[in-house]
Amino acid sequence: MAQQEPVTSNPVTSTVEDGVAIVRIANPPVNALSAAVRGGLVRAVEAADADSSVRAIVVTAEGRTFIAGADITEFGKPPVPPTLPDAIASVEATSKPVVAAINGAALGGGLEVALGCHARVATPSAKLGLPEVKLGILPGAGGTQRLPRLIGAVPALKLMTSGDPISAKEAQSLGILDEVAEDALAAAKALALRLAGGARPAAASAATNLGDRDAFEAAAGAMAKKGAENPSIAACIDAVRAAFDKPFDEGMAIERAHFIRLRDDPRSKALRHVFFAERAAARIPGLPKGTQPRPVARAAVIGGGTMGGGIAMSFANAGIPVTLIETSEENLQRGLERVAGNYATSVKRGSLTEEARGKRMGLIEGKVGLEAAAGADVVVEAVFEEMGLKKEIFGKLQGIAKPGAVLATNTSYLDVDEIAASTSRPGDVLGMHFFSPANVMKLLEVVRGRETAPDALATAVEVGRKLAKVPVVSGVCYGFIGNRMLARRTAQADRLLIEGAMPEEVDAALNAFGFRMGPFAMTDLAGLDIGWRIRQASGKKSPVADALVEAGRLGQKTKRGYYDYAGDGRTGVPDPEVRAVIERVSAEQGVTRRAIPPEEILERLLYPMINEGARILEEGIAARAGDIDTVWLNGYGWPAGTGGPMFHADSLGLPRIVARLRDFAQASGDESLRPAALLVRLAEEGGSFAALDEKAAA
Ligand code: 3HC
Ligand code: NAI
């Protein structure tokens, strides 16, 4: 008979060693607290408590993590008992001491399980944290009640509002861990037996280390101000305050109410989508089974300008030795000095130690001439954006680079297939498109050419991950995923100026949506000359931008651009001269200016991007809508709380977007605004981009 469900073994097992019950959780890949794990944990602990041959209990897990937290995939589904707070209450309520042996990451609900134990031991490499705020929620299984009572309200609040994990050493100094030991299991067993001999230590729920109330209120006030737009922060503060004001059980109820409210909010749904989309993006569709990345021990970067320097830093930061190649000693020195300057700033700011700085600079070697690329396993070209120059370089590289070396271009717009055709080894060629500043920005578009070999592609994605980037695979087209969509937004932003909006209104609409910077503030920061040069080369025009450049308004660097920066040089204020230029262009084009409401501005900026995203999916340039979201979230500052452009489109409802795009196309006569066939089809079928991705994954 065909089996409906795979037979799964019990994820929680228990053995008795020397009078200690070792309760082991094995739920790969990260031991998330699924219903089966919660149930198994309660049963195992209760059985051990009832077993007269057992004196103490150790809870541990198998694999590379301890417990990564609640099972996030369960959040949208009906709850299955026992709840995590109930499961942890059972652990805490045993008559025998329970010690957590933390063998790897203990995050969220995983740390909360450990806090329900009576003592904790971890391996030195373990990371501990409460990352719930990053998912738009708050710790929901006692973390806001036990941790403050155990280590003090201020450090507990810091840990849960930052969401960042800490090392075992730090956790020990904060009082979260009782011991740190290479063999955490053995140490936990020994500790459990010692505890069994004496009085059981107080449970964290009964600890009294909250600390000073005024200090808590001061810290909470500062955090509330900093995180004013983040409802998770306010909820954390409220729940921790309850630890001062209310008995443990009432505090738990307050925490639970916040947890459920936040979990069911669209913001948390969006952030969960972001979490899974980023991970899905790392899976490359269509790779032959068993494709292995090529080994990479050394890198070379050609061109030590704005991008090349940052890319070289990314390699050095990941511990990969890198050769930075320039055309002359002078250019090379300039590039290396900029890199050194960046590191020096980090040391001054305290984000990098002097020792780490020395180590990283030591991994960057500067050379003149392409021959220096000979030793590299991956070569990233970051010279001027000129096809002729790039082809010449790739043509020469075919004879210089090691056989099997991956040859990548950082081009923003150029045709990767045309570049690949200039070598005899097009299988090694692909795009590795970093974002500025390359040592900071997370996004890496990996551009798969027609001839790119599967293992070359896998190598680039793997290298991206080693560089702590978020790699997303794109097909070849003008601007790839991100810049191609950005071009739609830019065109509309320019058009809005001519129809009646001012730069500050356009930027404000995007700021209100959650972007830190609007398109015009962004252009002022980057410099208007960049777009101007691209337009010169392609024969395109942008009347307002061109007029500003001709008036010497290049942005922040000239203290004048779309805004005036005469004050501190960084804060732009609206400028009557710009208003005059815009009004003149409107008049020249015979446009009667009108007031454009902020809602329309936002729709005009976002919907054409979503439309282009649909075309990108249709053409197979992106494999998943979630990949497009990942690009915008990590490369262009799309606000995470709305999940990215395609997730946002689903939330708004696709029929509405189709209808508005038709309106815009009608009103402007701009055919590019007509809704994409895929968008129309999904809207008509009642489909969504999320459902499309799910279907593709299945
Ligand atoms: N629930 C469900 N699946 C999870 C998960 C979780 N909590 N954490 C990770 N996974 C899945 C990932 O989706 C991925 O699946 P895939 O292979 O199908 O793509 C797989 O586990 C491996 O994850 P990573 O690729 O991220 O593995 P890494 O080794 O790079 O990182 C990790 C491991 C550091 C544990 C990382 O996965 C992580 O940060 N996980 C999430 C931690 C988290 O946010 N925990 C809090 C959950 S909310 C909570 O606990 C609420 C509670 O307070 C009630
Ligand atoms: P840049 O002008 O700052 O630097 C280019 C460097 O390449 C110069 O230092 C130049 O001396 C060097 N160079 C020129 N020919 C060379 C050769 N034959 N051998 C070795 N070095 C050579 O340019 P930038 O901004 O760093 O851009 C580089 C590439 O990255 C371009 O293709 C660009 O489109 C792309 N890019 C740029 C981004 C940006 O924000 N600046 C973002 C993403 C990609």
Side-chain angles (χ1 to χ4, degrees):
M1 204 177 79
Q3 198 85 35
Q4 287 297 314
E5 297 261 333
V7 180
T8 49
S9 54
N10 184 357
V12 185
T13 53
S14 179
T15 53
V16 181
E17 298 172 15
D18 311 317
V20 180
I22 313 287
V23 174
R24 282 194 176 78
I25 297 170
N27 182 27
V30 294
N31 300 317
L33 292 155
S34 64
V37 171
R38 298 193 300 272
L41 179 64
V42 171
R43 279 193 302 279
V45 167
E46 285 178 350
D49 206 24
D51 182 342
S52 58
S53 74
V54 168
R55 297 177 58 213
I57 303 163
V58 167
V59 174
T60 191
E62 287 186 355
R64 56 199 168 88
T65 67
F66 176 62
I67 303 170
D71 183 341
I72 309 170
T73 60
E74 282 185 359
F75 279 12
K77 302 175 188 161
V80 178
T83 65
L84 190 54
D86 287 348
I88 293 172
S90 304
V91 172
E92 197 177 56
T94 51
S95 61
K96 296 167 187 172
V98 184
V99 178
I102 300 172
N103 53 299
L107 301 175
L111 179 55
E112 291 174 301
V113 167
L115 290 170
C117 298
H118 306 111
R120 286 150 293 277
V121 179
T123 55
S125 61
K127 296 265 185 236
L128 286 79
L130 293 169
E132 285 88 342
V133 292
K134 298 191 175 173
L135 296 169
I137 50 177
L138 85 169
T144 69
Q145 300 305 304
R146 287 191 180 88
L147 192 61
R149 285 174 165 86
L150 186 69
I151 67 165
V154 173
L157 187 63
K158 269 193 194 145
L159 197 68
M160 65 186 81
T161 52
S162 83
D164 294 329
I166 55 172
S167 67
K169 204 168 130 199
E170 276 176 86
Q172 186 177 27
S173 69
L174 284 174
I176 300 176
L177 294 174
D178 299 270
E179 285 177 35
V180 176
E182 278 300 339
D183 189 341
L185 182 57
K189 251 172 78 178
L191 177 59
L193 282 172
R194 284 201 304 278
L195 293 176
R200 202 191 68 182
S205 61
T208 52
N209 302 325
L210 275 170
D212 182 52
R213 175 72 187 249
D214 291 340
F216 164 73
E217 291 300 345
M223 284 179 204
K225 211 165 138 197
K226 224 173 106 196
E229 286 142 38
N230 185 342
S232 292
I233 306 254
C236 287
I237 292 170
D238 190 56
V240 174
R241 184 174 289 126
F244 282 100
D245 296 339
K246 314 261 181 196
F248 179 76
D249 287 344
E250 280 180 45
M252 287 296 284
I254 288 170
E255 176 193 272
R256 195 75 195 154
H258 280 305
F259 178 79
I260 290 170
R261 175 180 59 84
L262 291 171
R263 181 198 63 192
D264 296 341
D265 190 83
R267 186 171 176 276
S268 172
K269 277 189 197 135
L271 290 169
R272 268 136 51 198
H273 161 75
V274 171
F275 178 85
F276 288 115
E278 265 179 24
R279 280 156 182 82
R283 286 192 286 270
I284 314 167
L287 278 196
K289 238 196 164 106
T291 302
Q292 289 297 320
R294 303 174 186 174
V296 170
R298 184 163 193 101
V301 176
I302 304 174
T306 311
M307 293 305 290
I311 296 168
M313 287 174 77
S314 297
F315 279 106
N317 296 350
I320 301 173
V322 54
T323 309
L324 188 63
I325 299 172
E326 263 291 351
T327 45
S328 67
E329 277 301 335
E330 196 191 333
N331 288 345
L332 181 61
Q333 281 320 314
R334 201 177 333 120
L336 289 174
E337 272 162 28
R338 192 161 29 192
V339 168
N342 281 337
Y343 280 135
T345 307
S346 303
V347 171
K348 223 184 276 161
R349 284 204 195 123
S351 57
L352 191 72
T353 63
E354 183 51 40
E355 192 195 344
R357 187 199 65 82
K359 222 187 209 161
R360 291 177 188 190
M361 276 307 287
L363 289 171
I364 304 177
E365 165 200 54
K367 281 275 161 75
V368 173
L370 285 185
E371 292 70 26
D377 304 297
V378 55
V379 181
V380 183
E381 166 277 310
V383 304
F384 306 126
E385 184 78 341
E386 291 165 21
M387 183 54 100
L389 178 60
K390 298 211 190 244
K391 280 167 120 169
E392 184 193 320
I393 287 176
F394 277 78
K396 287 183 182 156
L397 275 178
Q398 78 185 33
I400 295 173
K402 272 194 203 176
V406 170
L407 310 178
T409 172
N410 183 49
T411 180
S412 310
Y413 293 97
L414 299 174
D415 183 340
V416 173
D417 288 329
E418 191 179 339
I419 296 173
S422 64
T423 79
S424 57
R425 39 198 280 198
D428 294 334
V429 178
L430 43 71
M432 284 177 80
H433 184 210
F434 292 79
F435 288 71
S436 184
N439 53 313
V440 175
M441 294 298 287
K442 289 269 173 213
L443 178 62
L444 175 68
E445 280 183 329
V446 177
V447 185
R448 176 186 212 161
R450 208 169 27 231
E451 311 255 351
T452 305
D455 63 338
L457 186 66
T459 308
V461 169
E462 174 78 5
V463 166
R465 253 186 263 141
K466 282 202 184 126
L467 303 190
K469 303 292 177 198
V470 179
V472 177
V473 176
S474 168
V476 175
C477 66
Y478 186 77
F480 316 120
I481 298 172
N483 283 345
R484 178 169 156 180
M485 289 166 70
L486 180 65
R488 294 293 177 197
R489 190 180 85 179
T490 307
Q492 289 303 307
D494 288 353
R495 196 60 219 161
L496 284 162
L497 295 187
I498 295 170
E499 288 177 25
M502 283 295 151
E504 58 275 20
E505 294 172 78
V506 175
D507 283 348
L510 274 193
N511 293 149
F513 181 70
F515 277 91
R516 286 256 170 84
M517 265 194 191
F520 296 115
M522 192 74 187
T523 305
D524 274 356
L525 183 66
L528 274 76
D529 47 323
I530 294 185
W532 189 75
R533 249 184 276 127
I534 296 173
R535 287 194 298 279
Q536 292 293 303
S538 63
K540 292 198 181 106
K541 290 213 171 311
S542 174
V544 173
D546 293 344
L548 294 178
V549 171
E550 279 150 26
R553 305 188 68 113
L554 302 186
Q556 287 195 19
K557 60 179 132 187
T558 57
K559 295 211 170 224
R560 296 151 75 239
Y562 284 99
Y563 298 96
D564 183 276
Y565 296 89
D568 61 1
R570 299 185 58 187
T571 319
V573 295
D575 186 335
E577 194 179 302
V578 175
R579 172 174 282 271
V581 167
I582 294 171
E583 286 171 350
R584 195 192 72 219
V585 172
S586 301
E588 279 167 7
Q589 301 202 359
V591 175
T592 311
R593 295 177 63 80
R594 66 183 171 101
I596 309 177
E599 307 77 50
E600 183 184 335
I601 292 178
L602 190 64
E603 290 184 317
R604 286 275 300 274
L605 295 172
L606 300 189
Y607 295 1
M609 281 177 53
I610 291 165
N611 200 25
E612 198 61 31
R615 290 194 192 108
I616 283 170
L617 271 179
E618 239 165 25
E619 293 168 22
I621 297 294
R624 287 165 285 246
D627 289 6
I628 298 176
D629 289 337
T630 303
V631 163
W632 272 82
L633 290 157
N634 290 286
Y636 299 83
W638 184 287
T642 57
M646 310 317 273
F647 184 87
H648 183 58
D650 279 350
S651 320
L652 291 171
L654 303 185
R656 166 172 159 187
I657 293 171
V658 166
R660 292 300 282 151
L661 283 167
R662 284 186 175 137
D663 294 345
F664 299 154
Q666 181 77 30
S668 64
D670 178 353
E671 286 304 305
S672 75
L673 292 171
R674 291 247 164 255
L678 174 65
L679 193 54
V680 172
R681 175 167 72 75
L682 290 176
E684 282 171 359
E685 286 173 352
S688 67
F689 290 114
L692 198 68
D693 279 3
E694 268 167 39
K695 218 163 92 191

